[in-house]
Amino acid sequence: MNRLYKYAVLFIASIILGFAFNLFLLPHEVLTGGVTGLAMVFGLLSPINTGIWLVILNIPILIIGWMKLGKEFIWNSIFSVFVTSISMQYIPVFKVTEDALLSAVFGGVIAGVSIGLIIRFYGSTGGFDIIGLVLTKKRDIPLGGLIFALNSVVVFISGFIFSWELALYTMASIYITGIVIDRVHTRHIKLNLMVVTDRGEELKSELIKNLIRGITVMDGQGAYSNTERKVLYTVISRYELAIVKPLITNVDPTAFVSVSETVEVIGNFRR
């Protein structure tokens, strides 16, 4: 059921991404960033066709993704790209509005939500998405901002070849897309988790069993009741909070839990 749910989300998000392209971005000829945009530039500057450049540039990126992110991620990415490509064949290219800036904004928002969901369910739309995910495994960098930076370089180069007006519209669109991606994909956000409980050993065992995290256990004492309790402290990712909350409730429904966002983690933290 989990696998079916994951592929259902990837399928729907990929189709929505096709709508973002065909109804908002493509009708106004908003430039393409990422590997596709790079392939367009190389296709114009060399006798080799853009489609061939697209394959050539994506091969090493897919190999890196396979090595660093796993084959499941690559298959999910291929599935997502395939669904998006097929949907774009059937969705008519139609101008929802004549205002190019408005299309760039709404296209960026819809694309950001779609790409954020695809990445959240362990897939990608190929190209710089994969490079961005590999880099964020090494550093706690917001993925949307990193994708925007990588795409901006390509759009800036495209501006010299195509049109600066379209390049600026594209820059606005991918900036908005990057912001929305970071609102949906929140793996880079780290949380401090502190639990005060009467069932310290049992809760510690459950957390270690379900999380790949180190846990610090301290002795605590209630100021009013003088009751001895255990205080468990760890740092988790934003995604892991969905696992931790029901787990704590099941072990100790009366536990005191404090969750706060951390600014930076230095040391041995598995990303």
Side-chain angles (χ1 to χ4, degrees), residues 196-215:
V196 182
T197 177
D198 293 322
R199 301 179 180 178
E201 286 301 317
E202 187 180 349
L203 184 57
K204 181 185 72 173
S205 298
E206 286 299 311
L207 288 173
I208 290 173
K209 190 188 303 181
N210 290 276
L211 297 175
I212 309 175
R213 299 288 172 216
I215 301 170

Side-chain angles (χ1 to χ4, degrees), residues 114-126:
S114 304
I115 296 171
L117 285 171
I118 290 168
I119 293 172
R120 185 158 189 164
F121 282 83
Y122 210 55
S124 78
T125 57

